[in-house]
Amino acid sequence: MAAPQWRISTDRREAARVALAAGADQLHLDFGGAHRGPLLSDPGELRAAEAIAGDIPVPVLAVNHVNDIGLAHEHGVANPAAVALLERALDCARRLGVRVLHVPGFRRSLPVTDALRAGTVDALRVLCRQAAAAGLTLAYESPLGPADSLALARSVDHPALRLVLDTGNLLDAGEDPLRFAGLVGAAGLLLPDLHVKDPAHATDGVGPTPGTVFDALPGLLRHSGARSVLVENDYHHSPTRLRTDIALCRTAVGLSHAKEER
């Protein structure tokens, strides 16, 4: 089970402490910037992150700051500032030994027009080549449904690219996570690391609340073939929710494996 540093604290060391105390096995780090904490490319911050990775595995580096500056321009090309930012993040990922660079497509990076999608493809194609050379996977996440996500990924046409399934973002966009898992998984483009968020009260004290994402998670795990889960509710003001979410996901994984073994 993984915890997201950016949903816990902008202080990476404090986030690691909270994640470990809540029972997380892994910590996904954020590159920082624009009210998201200090940039990881600062030498002191990178040394601190290397020390964190010695205490808890860090498999993913997310670059959420790209949502603030935009991955593409309206005239259909990559935003050089975003590409440069992601190249700096890629260098940090190499230093940390992470296996996935996570690129989000929300807010200013939301590919809502044909031109922005073309620019997003342009940016991802450049970054995939660099990620592949470093032995990394480039994980792209957006609220696009499975058909549009697959069309974008096929336009990039690079084996380093994988698509992220985030339950909360898909449901907010009116999409079915199970359908996304089925179609993207069948195409061989699904990142085997699910992101799980549900702002609803997750548990009644005995098990997951019926109708929540956590209640449906065992089936989604079986359907997607996921190898790991990132819980991604907001834990800044509710650190106890992190422990609850991790426990619910552990239960879901156990239920999923039990169904497979029968």
Side-chain angles (χ1 to χ4, degrees):
M1 296 300 136
Q5 170 249 309
W6 58 92
R7 292 281 192 167
I8 301 171
S9 174
T10 56
D11 183 326
R12 297 184 183 94
R13 283 164 287 200
E14 173 63 11
R17 185 193 66 77
V18 170
L20 282 166
D25 302 311
Q26 300 176 339
L27 182 70
H28 293 196
L29 290 182
D30 187 69
F31 182 73
H35 312 295
R36 303 177 191 278
L39 292 172
L40 192 60
S41 52
D42 175 87
E45 292 296 328
L46 187 55
R47 285 193 297 272
E50 289 174 319
I52 290 168
D55 294 329
I56 182 170
V58 178
V60 176
L61 177 62
V63 194
N64 291 304
H65 184 32
V66 79
N67 289 331
D68 305 317
I69 61 177
L71 191 55
H73 286 314
E74 284 284 359
H75 52 281
V77 297
N79 179 358
V83 172
L85 175 78
L86 287 159
E87 287 173 339
R88 289 164 63 196
L90 187 58
D91 286 339
C92 293
R94 290 194 195 99
R95 284 278 302 273
L96 289 173
V98 306
R99 56 180 175 81
V100 176
L101 185 71
H102 182 175
V103 180
F106 300 90
R107 295 176 48 222
R108 294 188 68 177
S109 287
L110 186 66
V112 291
T113 67
D114 289 343
L116 286 173
R117 292 188 193 192
T120 297
V121 167
D122 186 23
L124 293 177
R125 190 177 289 136
V126 170
L127 292 160
C128 277
R129 289 197 293 266
Q130 297 185 27
L136 271 69
T137 295
L138 193 77
Y140 179 70
E141 178 187 356
S142 79
L144 297 178
D148 288 336
S149 292
L150 286 171
L152 188 148
R154 285 164 176 155
S155 294
V156 176
D157 190 25
H158 197 286
L161 182 66
R162 290 293 182 273
L163 298 172
V164 176
L165 191 164
D166 183 299
T167 59
N169 293 329
L170 287 172
L171 290 169
D172 286 347
E175 300 289 343
D176 180 0
L178 271 174
R179 184 169 180 268
F180 189 98
L183 292 175
V184 176
L189 290 169
L190 185 66
L191 187 77
D193 306 325
L194 298 187
H195 292 197
V196 177
K197 64 167 75 78
D198 189 335
H201 191 58
T203 178
D204 58 10
V206 177
T209 303
T212 63
V213 165
F214 292 94
D215 184 44
L217 188 54
L220 184 57
L221 288 166
R222 291 192 299 270
H223 200 62
S224 65
R227 294 199 304 258
S228 68
V229 176
L230 173 76
V231 293
E232 209 184 355
N233 285 306
D234 187 352
Y235 307 114
H236 284 97
H237 306 296
S238 183
T240 57
R241 174 74 189 267
L242 178 59
R243 180 179 291 278
T244 297
D245 286 356
I246 288 173
L248 287 168
C249 286
R250 288 196 191 284
T251 298
V253 169
L255 290 172
S256 175
H257 288 170
K259 182 70 174 289
E260 288 175 353
E261 290 168 359
R262 284 203 293 269

